[in-house]
Amino acid sequence: MISFKEQTGHAFIKTQLKNKWDGCKKDWRIWRKLISETSVGWSSELETILASDELWKIKIQVNSL
């Protein structure tokens, strides 16, 4: 926490940092799973995941549970 404050200038308590970490970790796992599928690509130019609208609808339903 001290190192984070020194580097960013923001002081957070341990619980706040853990909550942020847990949320980022969940998002990263979803991203990693999407990228590993053959029907999904990555746009380096846009820095976004490329997929069909149909696939997005399915993935949003699965991951919103």
Side-chain angles (χ1 to χ4, degrees):
M1 292 185 325
I2 294 169
S3 175
F4 183 83
K5 183 180 179 186
E6 289 173 355
Q7 292 177 23
T8 65
H10 298 285
F12 295 105
I13 61 173
K14 185 177 180 179
T15 306
Q16 290 173 308
L17 291 174
K18 175 143 176 38
N19 288 341
K20 183 66 172 179
W21 173 262
D22 290 344
C24 288
K25 189 174 180 180
K26 179 182 175 187
D27 291 344
W28 178 78
R29 284 182 176 159
I30 292 169
W31 177 83
R32 187 180 66 180
K33 188 175 179 181
L34 280 171
I35 293 300
S36 69
E37 294 183 13
T38 58
S39 60
V40 177
W42 177 257
S43 171
S44 296
E45 183 180 302
L46 300 174
E47 296 185 354
T48 59
I49 296 171
L50 299 174
S52 68
D53 290 339
E54 183 178 312
L55 182 64
W56 278 121
K57 288 178 186 177
I58 292 168
K59 293 299 176 182
I60 290 169
Q61 286 179 340
V62 169
N63 289 302
S64 66
L65 300 176

